[in-house]
Amino acid sequence: MKKFVFQLEDVMKYREFLQSQAEIELGKAMAAEHEIQTKLDEIAAQSIAVKTRMKGSTDFNEINAAHNFNILLDQQKEYLLKKMAEAKIVSEQKRKVLQESMQKTEALHKLRERQLSEYHDEENKEEENTADDITTSHFRQN
């Protein structure tokens, strides 16, 4: 019997490539989210440090500088929160692309497995028929 050939092998490989590209893109988007979150965490830590340092301070210039620094931190935080919202939207879009790509790839894998199973069933049936023919011809000769 001839060798099994999946007619859509090239399409399946292309879809696997697209899936791997989608995984890479999602990874990049999630890395961007993580980077923004790290910056937000740093801002929170700086804010806490300034507030802790200013407890009980009576120096007006120091208090004013700390207040101005807190305003700057709040502005940076607001900017980063907007960037985080945008990054989350991008990540969600990349996640959907990956999910669709995985579904398409999985459908081809299932089709290939089904065709391979049918090929093996047909091969087994052919072997049985050959064995039956040999047995039948052996009995006819006797």
Side-chain angles (χ1 to χ4, degrees):
M1 185 166 196
K2 65 182 181 178
K3 179 182 168 190
F4 174 73
V5 176
F6 183 54
Q7 298 295 324
L8 299 173
E9 189 73 34
D10 291 339
V11 174
M12 187 171 69
K13 290 200 182 302
Y14 177 69
R15 286 200 178 156
E16 287 171 347
F17 170 76
L18 291 178
Q19 179 179 335
S20 68
Q21 291 298 327
E23 289 169 353
I24 291 168
E25 290 299 316
L26 177 59
K28 287 178 184 177
M30 292 180 72
E33 270 187 60
H34 180 71
E35 184 179 331
I36 294 169
Q37 185 60 51
T38 301
K39 289 178 183 177
L40 283 168
D41 293 344
E42 289 172 3
I43 288 173
Q46 287 176 341
S47 179
I48 291 170
V50 167
K51 287 176 185 174
T52 302
R53 194 176 51 200
M54 289 295 103
K55 273 189 179 176
S57 178
T58 56
D59 183 7
F60 177 75
N61 291 330
E62 201 173 87
I63 293 171
N64 190 37
H67 177 69
N68 289 337
F69 186 67
N70 277 329
I71 291 172
L72 174 68
L73 290 178
D74 285 343
Q75 289 172 346
Q76 288 177 345
K77 182 176 85 172
E78 289 301 316
Y79 172 77
L80 288 174
L81 287 173
K82 288 178 185 176
K83 287 293 184 188
M84 179 64 92
E86 292 169 5
K88 286 188 179 287
I89 290 170
V90 169
S91 291
E92 189 58 35
Q93 290 169 344
K94 301 291 183 185
R95 191 171 285 110
K96 286 180 182 177
V97 168
L98 175 60
Q99 187 177 24
E100 290 171 7
S101 179
M102 289 173 71
Q103 288 174 343
K104 290 176 181 179
T105 303
E106 183 62 25
L108 279 177
H109 281 281
K110 286 180 180 180
L111 178 62
R112 183 183 189 283
E113 289 301 314
R114 190 172 345 120
Q115 287 181 2
L116 183 60
S117 176
E118 290 171 1
Y119 169 80
H120 286 304
D121 290 346
E122 192 175 306
E123 190 176 56
N124 288 339
K125 190 181 291 183
E126 194 172 298
E127 285 177 12
E128 287 177 17
N129 288 342
T130 303
D132 287 347
D133 290 346
I134 291 171
T135 305
T136 304
S137 68
H138 180 67
F139 281 118
R140 285 186 187 161
Q141 289 176 0
N142 293 336

